[in-house]
PDB file of all heavy atoms in Angstrom:
ATOM      1  N   ALA A   1       8.819  15.482  -6.440  1.00 95.00           N
ATOM      2  CA  ALA A   1       7.392  15.791  -6.537  1.00 95.00           C
ATOM      3  C   ALA A   1       6.595  14.559  -6.935  1.00 95.00           C
ATOM      4  O   ALA A   1       5.477  14.348  -6.451  1.00 95.00           O
ATOM      5  CB  ALA A   1       7.166  16.912  -7.544  1.00 95.00           C
ATOM      6  N   ALA A   2       7.166  13.725  -7.812  1.00 96.00           N
ATOM      7  CA  ALA A   2       6.487  12.494  -8.217  1.00 96.00           C
ATOM      8  C   ALA A   2       6.329  11.551  -7.026  1.00 96.00           C
ATOM      9  O   ALA A   2       5.260  10.979  -6.809  1.00 96.00           O
ATOM     10  CB  ALA A   2       7.260  11.810  -9.335  1.00 96.00           C
ATOM     11  N   LEU A   3       7.389  11.381  -6.247  1.00 98.00           N
ATOM     12  CA  LEU A   3       7.374  10.422  -5.142  1.00 98.00           C
ATOM     13  C   LEU A   3       6.670  10.965  -3.901  1.00 98.00           C
ATOM     14  O   LEU A   3       6.531  10.245  -2.909  1.00 98.00           O
ATOM     15  CB  LEU A   3       8.812  10.019  -4.793  1.00 98.00           C
ATOM     16  CG  LEU A   3       9.582   9.327  -5.929  1.00 98.00           C
ATOM     17  CD1 LEU A   3      10.993   8.976  -5.476  1.00 98.00           C
ATOM     18  CD2 LEU A   3       8.854   8.084  -6.419  1.00 98.00           C
ATOM     19  N   GLY A   4       6.202  12.225  -3.963  1.00 96.00           N
ATOM     20  CA  GLY A   4       5.494  12.801  -2.833  1.00 96.00           C
ATOM     21  C   GLY A   4       4.089  13.252  -3.163  1.00 96.00           C
ATOM     22  O   GLY A   4       3.456  13.916  -2.353  1.00 96.00           O
ATOM     23  N   LYS A   5       3.570  12.892  -4.354  1.00 93.00           N
ATOM     24  CA  LYS A   5       2.258  13.396  -4.747  1.00 93.00           C
ATOM     25  C   LYS A   5       1.175  12.895  -3.790  1.00 93.00           C
ATOM     26  O   LYS A   5       1.105  11.698  -3.488  1.00 93.00           O
ATOM     27  CB  LYS A   5       1.934  13.040  -6.211  1.00 93.00           C
ATOM     28  CG  LYS A   5       1.722  11.572  -6.497  1.00 93.00           C
ATOM     29  CD  LYS A   5       1.522  11.301  -7.991  1.00 93.00           C
ATOM     30  CE  LYS A   5       0.228  11.833  -8.531  1.00 93.00           C
ATOM     31  NZ  LYS A   5      -0.901  10.920  -8.308  1.00 93.00           N
ATOM     32  N   PRO A   6       0.320  13.788  -3.291  1.00 90.00           N
ATOM     33  CA  PRO A   6      -0.701  13.378  -2.328  1.00 90.00           C
ATOM     34  C   PRO A   6      -2.008  12.961  -2.974  1.00 90.00           C
ATOM     35  O   PRO A   6      -2.934  12.543  -2.290  1.00 90.00           O
ATOM     36  CB  PRO A   6      -0.915  14.653  -1.501  1.00 90.00           C
ATOM     37  CG  PRO A   6      -0.660  15.750  -2.483  1.00 90.00           C
ATOM     38  CD  PRO A   6       0.401  15.247  -3.434  1.00 90.00           C
ATOM     39  N   GLY A   7      -2.102  13.100  -4.293  1.00 87.00           N
ATOM     40  CA  GLY A   7      -3.331  12.734  -4.987  1.00 87.00           C
ATOM     41  C   GLY A   7      -3.291  11.291  -5.436  1.00 87.00           C
ATOM     42  O   GLY A   7      -2.349  10.550  -5.191  1.00 87.00           O
ATOM     43  N   SER A   8      -4.337  10.891  -6.109  1.00 86.00           N
ATOM     44  CA  SER A   8      -4.422   9.511  -6.595  1.00 86.00           C
ATOM     45  C   SER A   8      -3.680   9.401  -7.928  1.00 86.00           C
ATOM     46  O   SER A   8      -3.794  10.287  -8.772  1.00 86.00           O
ATOM     47  CB  SER A   8      -5.886   9.136  -6.801  1.00 86.00           C
ATOM     48  OG  SER A   8      -6.591   9.258  -5.572  1.00 86.00           O
ATOM     49  N   ASN A   9      -2.940   8.351  -8.126  1.00 90.00           N
ATOM     50  CA  ASN A   9      -2.633   7.252  -7.203  1.00 90.00           C
ATOM     51  C   ASN A   9      -1.493   7.679  -6.265  1.00 90.00           C
ATOM     52  O   ASN A   9      -0.561   8.343  -6.707  1.00 90.00           O
ATOM     53  CB  ASN A   9      -2.206   5.995  -7.966  1.00 90.00           C
ATOM     54  CG  ASN A   9      -3.217   5.552  -8.985  1.00 90.00           C
ATOM     55  OD1 ASN A   9      -3.178   6.000 -10.134  1.00 90.00           O
ATOM     56  ND2 ASN A   9      -4.125   4.687  -8.590  1.00 90.00           N
ATOM     57  N   VAL A  10      -1.545   7.245  -5.021  1.00 94.00           N
ATOM     58  CA  VAL A  10      -0.555   7.667  -4.033  1.00 94.00           C
ATOM     59  C   VAL A  10       0.657   6.726  -4.096  1.00 94.00           C
ATOM     60  O   VAL A  10       0.496   5.510  -4.070  1.00 94.00           O
ATOM     61  CB  VAL A  10      -1.149   7.628  -2.611  1.00 94.00           C
ATOM     62  CG1 VAL A  10      -0.198   8.274  -1.624  1.00 94.00           C
ATOM     63  CG2 VAL A  10      -2.492   8.334  -2.579  1.00 94.00           C
ATOM     64  N   PRO A  11       1.884   7.280  -4.131  1.00 97.00           N
ATOM     65  CA  PRO A  11       3.083   6.431  -4.182  1.00 97.00           C
ATOM     66  C   PRO A  11       3.469   5.900  -2.806  1.00 97.00           C
ATOM     67  O   PRO A  11       4.531   6.207  -2.262  1.00 97.00           O
ATOM     68  CB  PRO A  11       4.142   7.374  -4.754  1.00 97.00           C
ATOM     69  CG  PRO A  11       3.719   8.732  -4.300  1.00 97.00           C
ATOM     70  CD  PRO A  11       2.214   8.713  -4.274  1.00 97.00           C
ATOM     71  N   VAL A  12       2.596   5.097  -2.222  1.00 98.00           N
ATOM     72  CA  VAL A  12       2.815   4.587  -0.865  1.00 98.00           C
ATOM     73  C   VAL A  12       3.913   3.529  -0.871  1.00 98.00           C
ATOM     74  O   VAL A  12       4.159   2.860  -1.873  1.00 98.00           O
ATOM     75  CB  VAL A  12       1.525   3.991  -0.275  1.00 98.00           C
ATOM     76  CG1 VAL A  12       0.435   5.036  -0.204  1.00 98.00           C
ATOM     77  CG2 VAL A  12       1.048   2.783  -1.091  1.00 98.00           C
ATOM     78  N   ILE A  13       4.548   3.405   0.288  1.00 98.00           N
ATOM     79  CA  ILE A  13       5.580   2.386   0.459  1.00 98.00           C
ATOM     80  C   ILE A  13       5.010   1.240   1.286  1.00 98.00           C
ATOM     81  O   ILE A  13       4.508   1.440   2.394  1.00 98.00           O
ATOM     82  CB  ILE A  13       6.830   2.974   1.146  1.00 98.00           C
ATOM     83  CG1 ILE A  13       7.399   4.129   0.312  1.00 98.00           C
ATOM     84  CG2 ILE A  13       7.876   1.886   1.356  1.00 98.00           C
ATOM     85  CD1 ILE A  13       7.774   3.778  -1.120  1.00 98.00           C
ATOM     86  N   MET A  14       5.069   0.043   0.716  1.00 98.00           N
ATOM     87  CA  MET A  14       4.599  -1.164   1.401  1.00 98.00           C
ATOM     88  C   MET A  14       5.701  -2.217   1.339  1.00 98.00           C
ATOM     89  O   MET A  14       6.675  -2.066   0.592  1.00 98.00           O
ATOM     90  CB  MET A  14       3.305  -1.679   0.762  1.00 98.00           C
ATOM     91  CG  MET A  14       3.361  -1.954  -0.716  1.00 98.00           C
ATOM     92  SD  MET A  14       1.763  -2.543  -1.417  1.00 98.00           S
ATOM     93  CE  MET A  14       0.685  -1.155  -1.130  1.00 98.00           C
ATOM     94  N   PRO A  15       5.610  -3.276   2.119  1.00 98.00           N
ATOM     95  CA  PRO A  15       6.645  -4.315   2.081  1.00 98.00           C
ATOM     96  C   PRO A  15       6.802  -4.909   0.679  1.00 98.00           C
ATOM     97  O   PRO A  15       5.831  -5.007  -0.077  1.00 98.00           O
ATOM     98  CB  PRO A  15       6.136  -5.361   3.071  1.00 98.00           C
ATOM     99  CG  PRO A  15       5.219  -4.625   3.980  1.00 98.00           C
ATOM    100  CD  PRO A  15       4.570  -3.568   3.128  1.00 98.00           C
ATOM    101  N   GLU A  16       8.004  -5.318   0.364  1.00 98.00           N
ATOM    102  CA  GLU A  16       8.293  -5.879  -0.959  1.00 98.00           C
ATOM    103  C   GLU A  16       7.377  -7.055  -1.281  1.00 98.00           C
ATOM    104  O   GLU A  16       6.928  -7.213  -2.414  1.00 98.00           O
ATOM    105  CB  GLU A  16       9.756  -6.316  -1.029  1.00 98.00           C
ATOM    106  CG  GLU A  16      10.180  -6.870  -2.381  1.00 98.00           C
ATOM    107  CD  GLU A  16      11.627  -7.341  -2.379  1.00 98.00           C
ATOM    108  OE1 GLU A  16      12.112  -7.749  -1.294  1.00 98.00           O
ATOM    109  OE2 GLU A  16      12.268  -7.302  -3.445  1.00 98.00           O
ATOM    110  N   ARG A  17       7.055  -7.857  -0.269  1.00 98.00           N
ATOM    111  CA  ARG A  17       6.220  -9.037  -0.521  1.00 98.00           C
ATOM    112  C   ARG A  17       4.825  -8.631  -1.021  1.00 98.00           C
ATOM    113  O   ARG A  17       4.197  -9.371  -1.786  1.00 98.00           O
ATOM    114  CB  ARG A  17       6.102  -9.903   0.737  1.00 98.00           C
ATOM    115  CG  ARG A  17       5.422  -9.215   1.905  1.00 98.00           C
ATOM    116  CD  ARG A  17       5.410 -10.088   3.158  1.00 98.00           C
ATOM    117  NE  ARG A  17       4.801  -9.411   4.294  1.00 98.00           N
ATOM    118  CZ  ARG A  17       3.504  -9.354   4.534  1.00 98.00           C
ATOM    119  NH1 ARG A  17       2.653  -9.959   3.694  1.00 98.00           N
ATOM    120  NH2 ARG A  17       3.033  -8.715   5.591  1.00 98.00           N
ATOM    121  N   LEU A  18       4.334  -7.457  -0.605  1.00 98.00           N
ATOM    122  CA  LEU A  18       3.055  -6.960  -1.089  1.00 98.00           C
ATOM    123  C   LEU A  18       3.224  -6.138  -2.355  1.00 98.00           C
ATOM    124  O   LEU A  18       2.407  -6.212  -3.279  1.00 98.00           O
ATOM    125  CB  LEU A  18       2.367  -6.118  -0.002  1.00 98.00           C
ATOM    126  CG  LEU A  18       2.037  -6.845   1.303  1.00 98.00           C
ATOM    127  CD1 LEU A  18       1.405  -5.877   2.301  1.00 98.00           C
ATOM    128  CD2 LEU A  18       1.103  -8.022   1.043  1.00 98.00           C
ATOM    129  N   ALA A  19       4.288  -5.345  -2.409  1.00 98.00           N
ATOM    130  CA  ALA A  19       4.531  -4.502  -3.574  1.00 98.00           C
ATOM    131  C   ALA A  19       4.864  -5.327  -4.818  1.00 98.00           C
ATOM    132  O   ALA A  19       4.778  -4.813  -5.937  1.00 98.00           O
ATOM    133  CB  ALA A  19       5.661  -3.523  -3.286  1.00 98.00           C
ATOM    134  N   SER A  20       5.217  -6.585  -4.635  1.00 98.00           N
ATOM    135  CA  SER A  20       5.488  -7.463  -5.781  1.00 98.00           C
ATOM    136  C   SER A  20       4.205  -7.917  -6.466  1.00 98.00           C
ATOM    137  O   SER A  20       4.251  -8.513  -7.547  1.00 98.00           O
ATOM    138  CB  SER A  20       6.294  -8.685  -5.325  1.00 98.00           C
ATOM    139  OG  SER A  20       7.552  -8.290  -4.801  1.00 98.00           O
ATOM    140  N   THR A  21       3.056  -7.642  -5.852  1.00 97.00           N
ATOM    141  CA  THR A  21       1.761  -7.951  -6.470  1.00 97.00           C
ATOM    142  C   THR A  21       1.599  -7.141  -7.745  1.00 97.00           C
ATOM    143  O   THR A  21       1.962  -5.962  -7.797  1.00 97.00           O
ATOM    144  CB  THR A  21       0.615  -7.600  -5.500  1.00 97.00           C
ATOM    145  OG1 THR A  21       0.827  -8.280  -4.264  1.00 97.00           O
ATOM    146  CG2 THR A  21      -0.738  -7.998  -6.079  1.00 97.00           C
ATOM    147  N   ASP A  22       1.057  -7.774  -8.783  1.00 96.00           N
ATOM    148  CA  ASP A  22       0.826  -7.056 -10.032  1.00 96.00           C
ATOM    149  C   ASP A  22      -0.014  -5.809  -9.768  1.00 96.00           C
ATOM    150  O   ASP A  22      -0.950  -5.834  -8.953  1.00 96.00           O
ATOM    151  CB  ASP A  22       0.110  -7.962 -11.041  1.00 96.00           C
ATOM    152  CG  ASP A  22      -0.108  -7.274 -12.370  1.00 96.00           C
ATOM    153  OD1 ASP A  22       0.838  -7.215 -13.177  1.00 96.00           O
ATOM    154  OD2 ASP A  22      -1.229  -6.776 -12.591  1.00 96.00           O
ATOM    155  N   ALA A  23       0.318  -4.725 -10.454  1.00 95.00           N
ATOM    156  CA  ALA A  23      -0.365  -3.452 -10.227  1.00 95.00           C
ATOM    157  C   ALA A  23      -1.839  -3.511 -10.582  1.00 95.00           C
ATOM    158  O   ALA A  23      -2.626  -2.663 -10.129  1.00 95.00           O
ATOM    159  CB  ALA A  23       0.316  -2.345 -11.027  1.00 95.00           C
ATOM    160  N   TYR A  24      -2.249  -4.489 -11.376  1.00 91.00           N
ATOM    161  CA  TYR A  24      -3.648  -4.617 -11.773  1.00 91.00           C
ATOM    162  C   TYR A  24      -4.378  -5.688 -10.952  1.00 91.00           C
ATOM    163  O   TYR A  24      -5.480  -6.089 -11.286  1.00 91.00           O
ATOM    164  CB  TYR A  24      -3.747  -4.899 -13.273  1.00 91.00           C
ATOM    165  CG  TYR A  24      -3.340  -3.682 -14.080  1.00 91.00           C
ATOM    166  CD1 TYR A  24      -2.010  -3.474 -14.432  1.00 91.00           C
ATOM    167  CD2 TYR A  24      -4.267  -2.718 -14.434  1.00 91.00           C
ATOM    168  CE1 TYR A  24      -1.622  -2.336 -15.134  1.00 91.00           C
ATOM    169  CE2 TYR A  24      -3.892  -1.584 -15.134  1.00 91.00           C
ATOM    170  CZ  TYR A  24      -2.568  -1.398 -15.486  1.00 91.00           C
ATOM    171  OH  TYR A  24      -2.184  -0.269 -16.175  1.00 91.00           O
ATOM    172  N   THR A  25      -3.737  -6.127  -9.870  1.00 95.00           N
ATOM    173  CA  THR A  25      -4.350  -7.032  -8.906  1.00 95.00           C
ATOM    174  C   THR A  25      -4.373  -6.331  -7.550  1.00 95.00           C
ATOM    175  O   THR A  25      -3.371  -5.737  -7.142  1.00 95.00           O
ATOM    176  CB  THR A  25      -3.550  -8.343  -8.794  1.00 95.00           C
ATOM    177  OG1 THR A  25      -3.497  -8.973 -10.072  1.00 95.00           O
ATOM    178  CG2 THR A  25      -4.177  -9.278  -7.780  1.00 95.00           C
ATOM    179  N   GLN A  26      -5.492  -6.377  -6.860  1.00 95.00           N
ATOM    180  CA  GLN A  26      -5.608  -5.668  -5.588  1.00 95.00           C
ATOM    181  C   GLN A  26      -4.771  -6.311  -4.496  1.00 95.00           C
ATOM    182  O   GLN A  26      -4.770  -7.536  -4.336  1.00 95.00           O
ATOM    183  CB  GLN A  26      -7.064  -5.643  -5.125  1.00 95.00           C
ATOM    184  CG  GLN A  26      -7.974  -4.767  -5.928  1.00 95.00           C
ATOM    185  CD  GLN A  26      -9.364  -4.708  -5.323  1.00 95.00           C
ATOM    186  OE1 GLN A  26      -9.526  -4.523  -4.112  1.00 95.00           O
ATOM    187  NE2 GLN A  26     -10.386  -4.864  -6.151  1.00 95.00           N
ATOM    188  N   VAL A  27      -4.079  -5.473  -3.737  1.00 97.00           N
ATOM    189  CA  VAL A  27      -3.453  -5.897  -2.491  1.00 97.00           C
ATOM    190  C   VAL A  27      -4.521  -5.831  -1.408  1.00 97.00           C
ATOM    191  O   VAL A  27      -5.154  -4.789  -1.212  1.00 97.00           O
ATOM    192  CB  VAL A  27      -2.253  -4.994  -2.132  1.00 97.00           C
ATOM    193  CG1 VAL A  27      -1.794  -5.250  -0.706  1.00 97.00           C
ATOM    194  CG2 VAL A  27      -1.109  -5.221  -3.107  1.00 97.00           C
ATOM    195  N   LYS A  28      -4.742  -6.915  -0.721  1.00 95.00           N
ATOM    196  CA  LYS A  28      -5.794  -6.970   0.293  1.00 95.00           C
ATOM    197  C   LYS A  28      -5.242  -6.795   1.713  1.00 95.00           C
ATOM    198  O   LYS A  28      -5.965  -6.342   2.609  1.00 95.00           O
ATOM    199  CB  LYS A  28      -6.543  -8.301   0.204  1.00 95.00           C
ATOM    200  CG  LYS A  28      -7.238  -8.544  -1.142  1.00 95.00           C
ATOM    201  CD  LYS A  28      -8.345  -7.542  -1.393  1.00 95.00           C
ATOM    202  CE  LYS A  28      -9.073  -7.788  -2.701  1.00 95.00           C
ATOM    203  NZ  LYS A  28      -9.890  -9.004  -2.704  1.00 95.00           N
ATOM    204  N   GLU A  29      -3.972  -7.149   1.932  1.00 97.00           N
ATOM    205  CA  GLU A  29      -3.374  -7.040   3.262  1.00 97.00           C
ATOM    206  C   GLU A  29      -2.780  -5.640   3.408  1.00 97.00           C
ATOM    207  O   GLU A  29      -1.909  -5.241   2.641  1.00 97.00           O
ATOM    208  CB  GLU A  29      -2.281  -8.095   3.446  1.00 97.00           C
ATOM    209  CG  GLU A  29      -1.675  -8.109   4.837  1.00 97.00           C
ATOM    210  CD  GLU A  29      -0.539  -9.118   4.968  1.00 97.00           C
ATOM    211  OE1 GLU A  29      -0.286  -9.857   3.997  1.00 97.00           O
ATOM    212  OE2 GLU A  29       0.103  -9.132   6.031  1.00 97.00           O
ATOM    213  N   MET A  30      -3.270  -4.893   4.385  1.00 98.00           N
ATOM    214  CA  MET A  30      -2.849  -3.506   4.549  1.00 98.00           C
ATOM    215  C   MET A  30      -1.728  -3.418   5.588  1.00 98.00           C
ATOM    216  O   MET A  30      -1.979  -3.337   6.801  1.00 98.00           O
ATOM    217  CB  MET A  30      -4.040  -2.643   4.988  1.00 98.00           C
ATOM    218  CG  MET A  30      -5.119  -2.479   3.932  1.00 98.00           C
ATOM    219  SD  MET A  30      -4.559  -1.482   2.519  1.00 98.00           S
ATOM    220  CE  MET A  30      -4.287  -2.782   1.298  1.00 98.00           C
ATOM    221  N   VAL A  31      -0.496  -3.468   5.131  1.00 98.00           N
ATOM    222  CA  VAL A  31       0.671  -3.313   6.000  1.00 98.00           C
ATOM    223  C   VAL A  31       1.491  -2.144   5.468  1.00 98.00           C
ATOM    224  O   VAL A  31       2.055  -2.216   4.379  1.00 98.00           O
ATOM    225  CB  VAL A  31       1.535  -4.590   6.038  1.00 98.00           C
ATOM    226  CG1 VAL A  31       2.775  -4.351   6.894  1.00 98.00           C
ATOM    227  CG2 VAL A  31       0.738  -5.758   6.572  1.00 98.00           C
ATOM    228  N   GLY A  32       1.532  -1.075   6.243  1.00 98.00           N
ATOM    229  CA  GLY A  32       2.331   0.078   5.860  1.00 98.00           C
ATOM    230  C   GLY A  32       3.310   0.420   6.950  1.00 98.00           C
ATOM    231  O   GLY A  32       3.557  -0.371   7.867  1.00 98.00           O
ATOM    232  N   SER A  33       3.877   1.622   6.876  1.00 98.00           N
ATOM    233  CA  SER A  33       4.766   2.110   7.933  1.00 98.00           C
ATOM    234  C   SER A  33       4.281   3.458   8.439  1.00 98.00           C
ATOM    235  O   SER A  33       5.036   4.212   9.036  1.00 98.00           O
ATOM    236  CB  SER A  33       6.196   2.241   7.398  1.00 98.00           C
ATOM    237  OG  SER A  33       6.249   3.206   6.345  1.00 98.00           O
ATOM    238  N   GLY A  34       2.997   3.763   8.182  1.00 97.00           N
ATOM    239  CA  GLY A  34       2.433   5.045   8.553  1.00 97.00           C
ATOM    240  C   GLY A  34       2.054   5.125  10.021  1.00 97.00           C
ATOM    241  O   GLY A  34       2.246   4.174  10.789  1.00 97.00           O
ATOM    242  N   PRO A  35       1.472   6.237  10.434  1.00 98.00           N
ATOM    243  CA  PRO A  35       1.213   6.475  11.860  1.00 98.00           C
ATOM    244  C   PRO A  35       0.083   5.645  12.461  1.00 98.00           C
ATOM    245  O   PRO A  35      -0.041   5.569  13.678  1.00 98.00           O
ATOM    246  CB  PRO A  35       0.874   7.965  11.909  1.00 98.00           C
ATOM    247  CG  PRO A  35       0.436   8.304  10.522  1.00 98.00           C
ATOM    248  CD  PRO A  35       1.201   7.415   9.604  1.00 98.00           C
ATOM    249  N   PHE A  36      -0.736   4.992  11.617  1.00 98.00           N
ATOM    250  CA  PHE A  36      -1.831   4.169  12.132  1.00 98.00           C
ATOM    251  C   PHE A  36      -1.840   2.801  11.458  1.00 98.00           C
ATOM    252  O   PHE A  36      -1.528   2.684  10.271  1.00 98.00           O
ATOM    253  CB  PHE A  36      -3.185   4.857  11.902  1.00 98.00           C
ATOM    254  CG  PHE A  36      -3.409   6.070  12.761  1.00 98.00           C
ATOM    255  CD1 PHE A  36      -3.035   7.324  12.308  1.00 98.00           C
ATOM    256  CD2 PHE A  36      -3.974   5.950  14.025  1.00 98.00           C
ATOM    257  CE1 PHE A  36      -3.233   8.455  13.093  1.00 98.00           C
ATOM    258  CE2 PHE A  36      -4.180   7.067  14.815  1.00 98.00           C
ATOM    259  CZ  PHE A  36      -3.804   8.330  14.357  1.00 98.00           C
ATOM    260  N   ARG A  37      -2.215   1.778  12.232  1.00 98.00           N
ATOM    261  CA  ARG A  37      -2.393   0.424  11.712  1.00 98.00           C
ATOM    262  C   ARG A  37      -3.855   0.206  11.341  1.00 98.00           C
ATOM    263  O   ARG A  37      -4.757   0.610  12.088  1.00 98.00           O
ATOM    264  CB  ARG A  37      -1.989  -0.622  12.756  1.00 98.00           C
ATOM    265  CG  ARG A  37      -0.533  -0.625  13.150  1.00 98.00           C
ATOM    266  CD  ARG A  37      -0.232  -1.732  14.174  1.00 98.00           C
ATOM    267  NE  ARG A  37      -0.910  -1.507  15.451  1.00 98.00           N
ATOM    268  CZ  ARG A  37      -1.939  -2.195  15.903  1.00 98.00           C
ATOM    269  NH1 ARG A  37      -2.469  -3.180  15.172  1.00 98.00           N
ATOM    270  NH2 ARG A  37      -2.473  -1.930  17.092  1.00 98.00           N
ATOM    271  N   PHE A  38      -4.084  -0.448  10.222  1.00 98.00           N
ATOM    272  CA  PHE A  38      -5.447  -0.813   9.835  1.00 98.00           C
ATOM    273  C   PHE A  38      -5.860  -2.051  10.608  1.00 98.00           C
ATOM    274  O   PHE A  38      -5.133  -3.057  10.649  1.00 98.00           O
ATOM    275  CB  PHE A  38      -5.505  -1.083   8.329  1.00 98.00           C
ATOM    276  CG  PHE A  38      -6.862  -1.517   7.853  1.00 98.00           C
ATOM    277  CD1 PHE A  38      -7.949  -0.662   7.936  1.00 98.00           C
ATOM    278  CD2 PHE A  38      -7.056  -2.787   7.313  1.00 98.00           C
ATOM    279  CE1 PHE A  38      -9.212  -1.057   7.495  1.00 98.00           C
ATOM    280  CE2 PHE A  38      -8.302  -3.192   6.870  1.00 98.00           C
ATOM    281  CZ  PHE A  38      -9.382  -2.316   6.963  1.00 98.00           C
ATOM    282  N   LEU A  39      -7.035  -1.997  11.243  1.00 98.00           N
ATOM    283  CA  LEU A  39      -7.541  -3.115  12.042  1.00 98.00           C
ATOM    284  C   LEU A  39      -8.481  -3.946  11.177  1.00 98.00           C
ATOM    285  O   LEU A  39      -9.694  -3.736  11.160  1.00 98.00           O
ATOM    286  CB  LEU A  39      -8.244  -2.583  13.295  1.00 98.00           C
ATOM    287  CG  LEU A  39      -7.374  -1.705  14.211  1.00 98.00           C
ATOM    288  CD1 LEU A  39      -8.179  -1.179  15.400  1.00 98.00           C
ATOM    289  CD2 LEU A  39      -6.142  -2.465  14.691  1.00 98.00           C
ATOM    290  N   ALA A  40      -7.886  -4.885  10.448  1.00 97.00           N
ATOM    291  CA  ALA A  40      -8.664  -5.674   9.491  1.00 97.00           C
ATOM    292  C   ALA A  40      -9.776  -6.450  10.176  1.00 97.00           C
ATOM    293  O   ALA A  40     -10.858  -6.638   9.606  1.00 97.00           O
ATOM    294  CB  ALA A  40      -7.733  -6.623   8.736  1.00 97.00           C
ATOM    295  N   GLY A  41      -9.545  -6.918  11.409  1.00 97.00           N
ATOM    296  CA  GLY A  41     -10.543  -7.706  12.117  1.00 97.00           C
ATOM    297  C   GLY A  41     -11.778  -6.911  12.507  1.00 97.00           C
ATOM    298  O   GLY A  41     -12.824  -7.498  12.799  1.00 97.00           O
TER     299      GLY A  41
END
């Protein structure tokens, strides 16, 4: 239930290189494994 909570904060899975960012620093590059890609451009 913890790893599937749909509310905030969401336990999303991102690449280790991004997940290694301190939790109190924003990740700006949106790379996930979900059904849609974010079009940053």
